[in-house]
């Protein structure tokens, strides 16, 4: 990116930051803040039911005349631009035209729609070295009333789950997840209004991932009404860049993609741990995954593509050969993704941090995308 584009980009972001300051005041939480649980008081019991939005149609484009500037992507599917390296992404409305997205290295979470405004809603102080930082987040089940956000972050001493309040202070939920120079990228997802699933990277230590006494390389279940309680371990032996992708269907299947000593793979989490569904012999590197009732999409950043599988059913547990979607001419390297409305995706690019990618002046971005169907042939 040229200095001219970088300066213009910063000017655009400065304007959006001014808008953000007028709309919402947030503050960064220091590591010591995160350890001081009493700042937030006791956790309130969470609701037992969360109202789900109606399923939206596939992505559509309501095109208007675009503004000018280096942060404008002409692709009408793009709904956020000029981000630092992205991590977690969540739809902010049922149609998918608005998004919540995190910047891994800055610890900031934004809400954005096409042509803005792009507004910061929360932040935490993080260690963004290696692949650490604000690696994932999820909104509280009662977010519309409490404005709380759960985040998986890297600090100077560990990886941890925190609850970020509207004031910006962060209360620890789970601490002591091992930190390494690499292998910090994990994932979180709500299984129910009171259960948070946390997938942790191996922190570069394969032995720790298989050690029952370590929180590295695990899929953990946390009761949100019992913060700091010992989590239940649902699976072990995960590698790095771990991405959860719940199907959202009635069967409640939970899938996970990871890269590690055991290879790049896609697995389903069962009652006895992980069951491998697919592995990549060439080990291309996993970026993220997103699942619906009918498909599972896995992003391969260095190859700038998505591999799309058919979601396994109880009577047909295999997933068949993947269909490949080339993203090199549209979005480039893609990291985390999420489904909405039963099929379409929101995907977040990581062009600014992926070797071999060619970031544009408007990178990194979030876009709506409808993946191609997986092959019908089953193995």
């Amino acid at each position: 990116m040229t200095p001219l584009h970088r300066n213009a980009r910063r000017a655009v972001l400065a304007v959006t930051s001014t808008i953000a300051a007028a709309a919402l005041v947030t503050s960064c939480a220091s590591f010591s803040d995160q350890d001081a649980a009493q700042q937030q008081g006791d956790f309130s019991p969470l609701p037992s039911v969360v109202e789900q939005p109606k399923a939206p149609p596939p992505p559509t484009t309501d095109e208007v005349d675009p503004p000018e500037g280096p942060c404008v992507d002409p692709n009408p599917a793009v709904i956020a631009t000029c981000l630092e390296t992205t991590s977690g992404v969540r739809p902010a409305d049922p149609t998918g035209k608005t998004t919540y997205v995190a910047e891994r290295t800055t610890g900031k979470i934004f809400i954005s729609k096409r042509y803005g405004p792009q507004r910061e809603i929360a932040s935490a102080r993080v260690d963004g070295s290696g692949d650490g930082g604000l690696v994932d987040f999820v909104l509280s089940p009662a977010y519309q009333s409490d404005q709380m956000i759960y985040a998986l972050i890297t600090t100077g001493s560990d990886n941890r789950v925190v609850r970020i309040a509207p004031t910006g202070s962060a209360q620890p939920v789970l601490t002591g997840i091992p930190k390494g120079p690499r292998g910090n990228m994990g994932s979180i997802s709500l299984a129910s209004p009171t259960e948070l699933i946390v997938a942790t990277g191996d922190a570069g230590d394969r032995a720790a991932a298989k050690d029952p006494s370590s929180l590295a390389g695990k899929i953990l279940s946390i009761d949100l009404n019992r913060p700091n309680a010992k989590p239940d371990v649902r699976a072990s032996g995960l590698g790095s860049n771990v991405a959860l992708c719940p199907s959202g269907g009635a069967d409640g299947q939970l899938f996970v993609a990871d890269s590690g000593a055991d290879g790049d793979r896609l697995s389903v989490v069962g009652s006895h741990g992980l069951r491998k569904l697919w592995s990549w012999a060439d080990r291309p590197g996993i970026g993220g995954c997103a699942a619906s009732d009918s498909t599972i999409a896995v992003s391969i950043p260095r190859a700038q593509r998505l591999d799309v599988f058919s979601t396994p059913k109880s009577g047909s547990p295999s997933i068949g050969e993947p269909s490949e979607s080339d993203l090199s001419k549209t979005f480039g390297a893609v990291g985390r993704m999420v489904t909405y409305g039963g099929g379409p995706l929101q995907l977040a690019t990581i062009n600014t941090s992926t070797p071999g990618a060619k970031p544009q002046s408007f990178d990194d971005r979030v876009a709506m995308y409808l993946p191609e169907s997986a092959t019908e042939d089953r193995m």
Side-chain angles (χ1 to χ4, degrees):
M1 186 182 300
T2 67
L4 177 62
H5 279 162
R6 178 63 67 182
N7 290 337
R9 165 181 168 160
R10 293 300 182 192
V12 171
L13 291 178
V15 172
T16 57
S17 296
T18 302
I19 295 172
L24 178 67
V25 177
T26 61
S27 61
C28 291
S30 68
F31 297 148
S32 59
D33 288 337
Q34 293 157 8
D35 288 322
Q38 67 272 17
Q39 289 185 358
Q40 284 296 100
D42 295 333
F43 275 61
S44 301
L46 293 166
S48 59
V49 177
V50 176
E51 183 177 347
Q52 299 296 322
K54 295 180 179 179
T60 60
T61 57
D62 299 326
E63 195 61 21
V64 297
D65 292 336
E68 297 181 355
C71 287
V72 177
D73 186 338
N75 187 331
V78 173
I79 54 178
T81 60
C82 282
L83 296 163
E84 300 298 329
T85 299
T86 64
S87 54
V89 61
R90 307 286 174 187
D93 76 278
T95 69
K97 295 180 182 179
T98 312
T99 187
Y100 297 105
V101 58
E103 291 182 336
R104 176 175 62 80
T105 53
T106 69
K108 297 178 180 179
I109 301 173
F110 296 91
I111 185 170
S112 178
K113 64 179 180 180
R114 184 159 174 77
Y115 303 147
Q118 197 155 288
R119 176 165 56 90
E120 181 183 327
I121 64 166
S123 64
R125 188 177 176 182
V126 300
D127 179 356
S129 61
D131 59 354
L134 200 166
V135 299
D136 202 6
F137 72 97
V138 66
L139 304 181
S140 159
Y143 180 74
Q144 294 305 317
S145 59
D146 65 22
Q147 301 292 292
M148 298 288 185
I149 295 175
Y150 292 93
L152 176 59
I153 67 172
T154 308
T155 74
S157 59
D158 67 356
N159 288 296
R160 60 178 58 186
V161 178
V162 297
R163 189 181 74 167
I164 305 174
T167 60
S169 60
Q171 181 179 8
V173 175
L174 177 65
T175 61
I177 302 168
K179 171 191 176 182
R182 304 290 298 177
N184 302 294
M185 278 293 285
S187 185
I188 60 178
S189 177
L190 281 169
S192 77
T194 59
E195 182 186 9
L196 185 70
I197 302 298
V198 181
T200 65
D202 63 4
D205 186 346
R206 184 182 183 186
K210 296 183 178 181
D211 181 352
S213 65
S214 173
L215 295 178
K218 305 292 190 298
I219 295 181
L220 309 168
S221 173
I222 298 175
D223 184 344
L224 293 178
N225 283 332
R226 298 175 60 225
N228 300 309
K230 184 178 179 180
D232 293 329
V233 178
R234 295 187 56 181
S236 301
L238 293 168
S240 63
N241 211 10
V242 183
L244 290 170
C245 41
S247 69
D251 55 9
Q253 293 188 98
L254 178 62
F255 305 101
V256 59
D258 71 315
S259 301
D262 293 328
D264 298 346
R265 58 187 177 172
L266 174 67
S267 307
V268 62
V269 183
S271 57
H272 301 290
L274 301 178
R275 180 171 67 86
K276 185 167 65 177
L277 299 173
W278 185 265
S279 62
W280 286 262
D282 57 345
R283 304 186 68 168
I286 300 298
C289 67
S292 68
D293 285 345
S294 58
T295 62
I296 307 171
V298 179
S299 61
I300 312 294
R302 291 200 299 268
Q304 299 184 27
R305 74 171 195 260
L306 295 185
D307 286 358
V308 184
F309 302 88
S310 295
T311 302
K313 307 299 180 183
S314 57
S316 181
S318 73
I319 59 176
E321 295 280 343
S323 296
E324 295 184 2
S325 297
D326 183 6
L327 303 177
S328 60
K329 296 181 180 179
T330 50
F331 306 118
V334 168
R336 299 310 200 196
M337 307 179 293
V338 66
T339 56
Y340 65 94
L345 306 176
Q346 283 187 354
L347 50 81
T349 71
I350 48 173
N351 290 309
T352 59
S353 59
T354 299
K358 298 178 179 179
Q360 305 295 314
S361 64
F362 37 67
D363 276 316
D364 275 309
R365 295 162 283 164
V366 177
M368 300 179 291
Y369 184 75
L370 185 61
E372 299 175 4
S373 298
T375 56
E376 295 298 329
D377 294 336
R378 296 262 181 188
M379 294 170 56

